[in-house]
Amino acid sequence: MSTEKLSAESIAEQQLIAALQMWKQRNWVPAITLAGAAEEILGKRLRKIGMEPSFDNMLSAVIKIAKGLGETDSRLEKDVAYLINSTKNELKHYSGDEDLEFNLREDAAEILDRAIANFTMLTNSTLPQFLEYWAESHEA
């Protein structure tokens, strides 16, 4: 039996490429799950080297806006973090009896954008699949 060594970046890159393939095929649920896994791995790597991942950046921006509008709830950060990741987490963990309703295309695009941003920040590079995705996802 042969083994293969994989770095965190390699694992995330494979997940992200697969997520982009799922996006192209309009398979939103696996695209979200795979992109979410890549985004988390890459985000942890960025934090480890002192950089701010896209999730943290988005969270900070929303909290800043909410506080600027007078929000004072002590659970604000936790609530916003939950909302940012709600579709990904529901799809990954849901075992209830009720049907769930999402805008899967938009949610997939959001998490793919975050994962791509993290990958680009961490590796200082882009992949050809990113350009294809951006062209496709930003069509009217």
Side-chain angles (χ1 to χ4, degrees):
M1 175 186 239
S2 67
T3 62
E4 189 172 340
K5 287 186 177 186
L6 298 169
S7 67
E9 289 85 356
S10 173
I11 293 166
E13 180 177 343
Q14 289 181 46
Q15 291 169 326
L16 184 50
I17 289 169
L20 290 166
Q21 290 168 343
M22 293 294 100
W23 164 271
K24 192 172 186 176
Q25 296 168 7
R26 302 177 63 88
N27 290 324
W28 312 123
V29 172
I32 290 168
T33 302
L34 287 163
E39 187 248 354
E40 284 184 41
I41 290 170
L42 295 165
K44 288 176 185 177
R45 301 296 298 165
L46 285 166
R47 285 184 198 100
K48 193 171 188 175
I49 62 172
M51 295 180 73
E52 182 179 53
S54 57
F55 175 87
D56 296 1
N57 183 274
M58 180 184 284
L59 180 63
S60 297
V62 173
I63 289 171
K64 184 176 182 178
I65 291 167
K67 286 185 176 181
L69 294 171
E71 182 61 58
T72 59
D73 190 330
S74 62
R75 298 172 307 198
L76 178 63
E77 184 171 346
K78 184 177 180 178
D79 290 346
V80 172
Y82 171 82
L83 289 172
I84 291 171
N85 277 331
S86 62
T87 300
K88 176 189 78 168
N89 289 335
E90 288 286 356
L91 294 175
K92 191 165 109 177
H93 302 291
Y94 190 66
S95 62
D97 295 325
E98 301 297 318
D99 289 346
L100 301 175
E101 190 171 332
F102 305 101
N103 184 326
L104 293 173
R105 185 186 190 283
E106 283 185 17
D107 292 342
E110 180 182 312
I111 198 152
L112 278 164
D113 287 342
R114 289 185 353 226
I116 289 169
N118 284 353
F119 181 91
T120 303
M121 283 189 288
L122 186 62
T123 66
N124 202 26
S125 65
T126 61
L127 300 174
Q129 294 92 331
F130 297 173
L131 302 177
E132 186 178 326
Y133 159 74
W134 283 323
E136 198 176 296
S137 67
H138 293 91
E139 289 177 347

